[in-house]
Amino acid sequence: MKAQTQSRQRLLASGAALALAVGLGFGIAKLTTPSTPAVTPASRTAAPSGPQTITVPADHLQAVGIATEALREGAISGEIIAPASVVSAPSAEASLVARSSGAIIRVLKQIGDPVRAGETVALIESREAAAAAADRRVANARLALARQTTARERSLVEQHVSARQDYDRAQAEMLAAEAEAERAQAAATAVHVSADGRSAAVVSPIAGKFTAQSAVLGAYVEPQTELFR
């Protein structure tokens, strides 16, 4: 009887120890397992609608063969071959034409030569230029005489030797002579009369280099004939 009682006590102790071990294990598992909060429709966060930035580690870029480089200013070293037309701006090109008819007696520039603004590039022997130069000389001579006459008549009026109307008439003639001299000068400028008074100069209005030339020494040209570009 005593042996049976001891055996029963051992079984009860083993069962209690087993139940305690199971309880402790369940408690430890419950404490160590992270709790997952319940997701309700009210607690969900809306996804952003704007552009997103994704940062890729450098080792990942190197693994897939992607290289990055900072932007900087520089020239393109590659060559691009493509059909195109190169033209100059309207304000960067000038057509040099003859201002009067006549024969070309001097050609001072060729294709590719540099030229300054206002420089003479050719000379044309022209009757129009000679006539304009002659008219200018006559007008200037008349103006000089009219000025002298006006000065003399003013002196006589101041000395009470001559009448006032003589001075007024001389002054009117001087004003007419000035107008005629201005007209003759404008006509001579229009045909670019040269210093010798017998030829017309072809003058470049801008500085640059000649890209085209049709002027030939000795050729006869009409007004508005293009000689250089």
Side-chain angles (χ1 to χ4, degrees), residues 97-172:
V97 300
R99 297 296 183 91
S100 60
S101 59
I104 300 176
I105 57 176
R106 293 193 66 183
V107 178
L108 305 176
K109 295 290 182 178
Q110 303 294 332
I111 294 179
D113 290 345
V115 63
R116 302 184 307 273
E119 184 177 1
T120 299
V121 299
L123 292 176
I124 300 174
E125 189 176 26
S126 170
R127 292 181 180 178
E128 298 172 8
D135 291 343
R136 183 176 59 182
R137 289 194 298 269
V138 171
N140 290 336
R142 289 177 177 174
L143 177 59
L145 178 60
R147 286 174 176 173
Q148 292 177 2
T149 302
T150 302
R152 183 176 64 253
E153 291 297 333
R154 180 175 57 190
S155 175
L156 293 174
V157 168
E158 292 174 353
Q159 297 175 16
H160 303 284
V161 175
S162 179
R164 177 71 184 187
Q165 58 268 27
D166 294 338
Y167 170 70
D168 293 340
R169 183 169 51 254
Q171 190 175 21

Side-chain angles (χ1 to χ4, degrees), residues 1 35-36 40-41 47 61 71 74 78 85 95 100 102 104 110 119 124-125 131 138 182 191 222-224:
M1 292 294 294
S35 59
T36 302
T40 62
L61 295 177
L71 293 177
S85 298
S95 177
S100 60
I104 300 176
Q110 303 294 332
E119 184 177 1
I124 300 174
E125 189 176 26
V138 171
E182 291 177 358
V191 296
E222 295 291 344
Q224 302 306 316

